[in-house]
Amino acid sequence: MTSAPPFATPGAALAHMAAARGADEALAFPRQNARLTFAAWHEQAAALARGLGTLGLGPGDHVALLAENRMEWPVAQLAVALLGGVLVPLSTHYGRAELRYAIAQSDSKALIRSDGFRGHDYAGAVAGVRAELPALAHEISLDDGGYAALLAAGAGTDAALPDVAADGLAALLYTSGTTGVPKGALLTHGAMLTDAWLSMQRLRVRPRDRWTSMIPLFHCSGSIFNIL
């Protein structure tokens, strides 16, 4: 078992897989009947990263993500990583008060979200607290064409993506808040990738194995252990 992954960042790892095994399937979300190869995943993530750049977002900016498990989730996660931004995954169980707290406390400048899922009205919940979120400059819906437009905008530019260091901040994940308000934990690119790398080695996962999970992607086990 080797203690360090061969890549400095998740973005570098995805770029390698896109070059080495681009035509191979990387992601499958059966509920959406959605599948992506490694090459398509990297292409869409890079386009979304550039699209976020057209909004004025860049390295160090916090981008919140509120959505059920769906194909756009891992695309958005790697897009923010390629941008050098900090992903802020939000629990899909949050109500208005929790959403207001997490988005405000994290200083998120953008929110990528679903309109709703299984009775949860995410669009309405965010709209109800939007006036209390002065730092939130951009809200991108995955369901009304906003996300697709941002992908298209990014695909239409060849703007260079930044160099991202392993010790750069990659994510701000919140605790469950069972003893008070949720606490935000900052994680680096290198730490997240190393966690995933060691976990897969421990479980003896090999190339071309298939990995199934029902864990919510907003959880650290979902966004690190599963996606990376």
Side-chain angles (χ1 to χ4, degrees), residues 10 26-27 29 41 65 67-78 87 89-92 171 173-174 187 192-193 195-197 199-200 211-228:
L27 300 167
F29 283 75
W41 186 7
L65 178 56
E68 73 281 12
N69 288 12
R70 55 190 290 172
M71 183 63 77
E72 294 87 349
W73 220 107
V75 173
Q77 178 177 344
L78 269 293
L87 183 74
L90 301 174
S91 170
T92 53
L173 281 78
Y174 281 93
L187 304 176
M192 294 173 70
L193 195 59
D195 185 5
W197 176 257
S199 298
M200 295 306 100
W211 175 273
T212 300
S213 175
M214 296 174 286
I215 295 173
L217 294 179
F218 67 77
H219 192 277
C220 59
S221 294
S223 58
I224 301 174
F225 190 61
N226 287 303
I227 292 180
L228 300 186

Side-chain angles (χ1 to χ4, degrees), residues 19 52-53 76 79 83 101 104 112-113 116 137 140-141 144 156 162 175 185 190-191 193 217:
L52 291 169
L83 183 69
Y101 173 81
I112 301 171
R113 60 154 179 80
I140 302 112
S141 170
D144 71 355
T175 64
L193 195 59
L217 294 179

Side-chain angles (χ1 to χ4, degrees), residues 152-219:
T157 175
D158 58 357
L161 294 174
D163 293 329
V164 179
D167 62 356
L169 293 176
L172 194 166
L173 281 78
Y174 281 93
T175 64
S176 59
T178 52
T179 59
V181 296
K183 312 299 190 298
L186 288 165
L187 304 176
T188 66
H189 293 274
M192 294 173 70
L193 195 59
T194 298
D195 185 5
W197 176 257
L198 292 177
S199 298
M200 295 306 100
Q201 291 201 45
R202 179 71 175 177
L203 293 171
R204 299 182 181 179
V205 175
R206 296 292 180 260
R208 306 187 190 283
D209 284 348
R210 302 184 76 85
W211 175 273
T212 300
S213 175
M214 296 174 286
I215 295 173
L217 294 179
F218 67 77
H219 192 277

